[in-house]
Amino acid sequence: PPSGKKMTVFIDDINMPIINEWGDQITNEIVRQLMENKGFYNLEKPGDFINIDDILLIGAMIHPGGGRNDIPQRLKRHFSIFNCTLPSNNSIDQIFSIIGCGYFCQERGFSREICETVATLIPLTRQLWQV
């Protein structure tokens, strides 16, 4: 980022790169190098190092297993890990019903039919999302 500015980089599906024959994920090794060394070596001028300051890296991934890779421990040690499981169907319906019915209500000028339809649409929308 420009001097005096900060940059946040979000890496979605950080566990997607293929694992090579040595057990590495090449793109993740580049991310690890950035996190450990605060920069990269210049490929055009061997020996020159490019410093990168004021950068925050955030990654997201689904649980490994079932054909999905894990990220290497050498990279994982640089992150704070949070495991967030999906809520139950009942909880999802309740969360979005409160939001939907709270917005589409008669006090805000919506008809009774609209208010009743929202309560029906919430579980139907979730079921469609899960297909």
Side-chain angles (χ1 to χ4, degrees):
S3 182
K5 300 283 185 178
K6 295 183 185 279
M7 181 168 69
T8 301
V9 177
F10 176 71
I11 307 167
D12 197 11
D13 293 326
I14 195 169
N15 61 331
M16 288 296 288
I18 274 190
I19 297 174
N20 67 13
E21 58 198 75
W22 299 283
D24 297 326
Q25 295 170 314
I26 301 300
T27 51
N28 282 340
E29 289 301 314
I30 295 169
V31 171
R32 181 187 60 78
Q33 179 184 358
L34 173 62
M35 294 178 88
E36 287 180 0
N37 300 330
K38 305 285 189 229
F40 301 104
Y41 286 98
N42 189 339
L43 295 177
E44 295 172 3
K45 295 180 183 176
D48 282 358
F49 189 80
I50 301 169
N51 288 307
I52 299 178
D53 296 321
D54 297 322
I55 189 167
L56 172 67
L57 294 167
I58 300 172
M61 62 183 262
I62 196 162
H63 293 279
R68 293 182 299 269
N69 302 320
D70 197 0
I71 61 173
Q73 287 294 334
R74 292 183 298 178
L75 176 61
K76 195 183 293 185
R77 70 181 177 203
H78 295 290
F79 286 98
S80 297
I81 309 292
F82 300 94
N83 180 19
C84 303
T85 57
L86 282 175
S88 68
N89 289 340
N90 188 33
S91 294
I92 292 172
D93 291 348
Q94 184 176 4
I95 291 166
F96 287 103
S97 290
I98 289 170
I99 294 169
C101 293
Y103 184 83
F104 295 101
C105 61
Q106 291 179 333
E107 291 81 14
R108 293 179 53 94
F110 293 96
S111 68
R112 196 170 73 110
E113 293 81 19
I114 296 291
C115 300
E116 291 171 358
T117 303
V118 169
T120 306
L121 282 177
I122 300 294
L124 293 175
T125 304
R126 178 194 41 81
Q127 291 170 9
L128 183 63
W129 170 66
Q130 291 175 327
V131 171

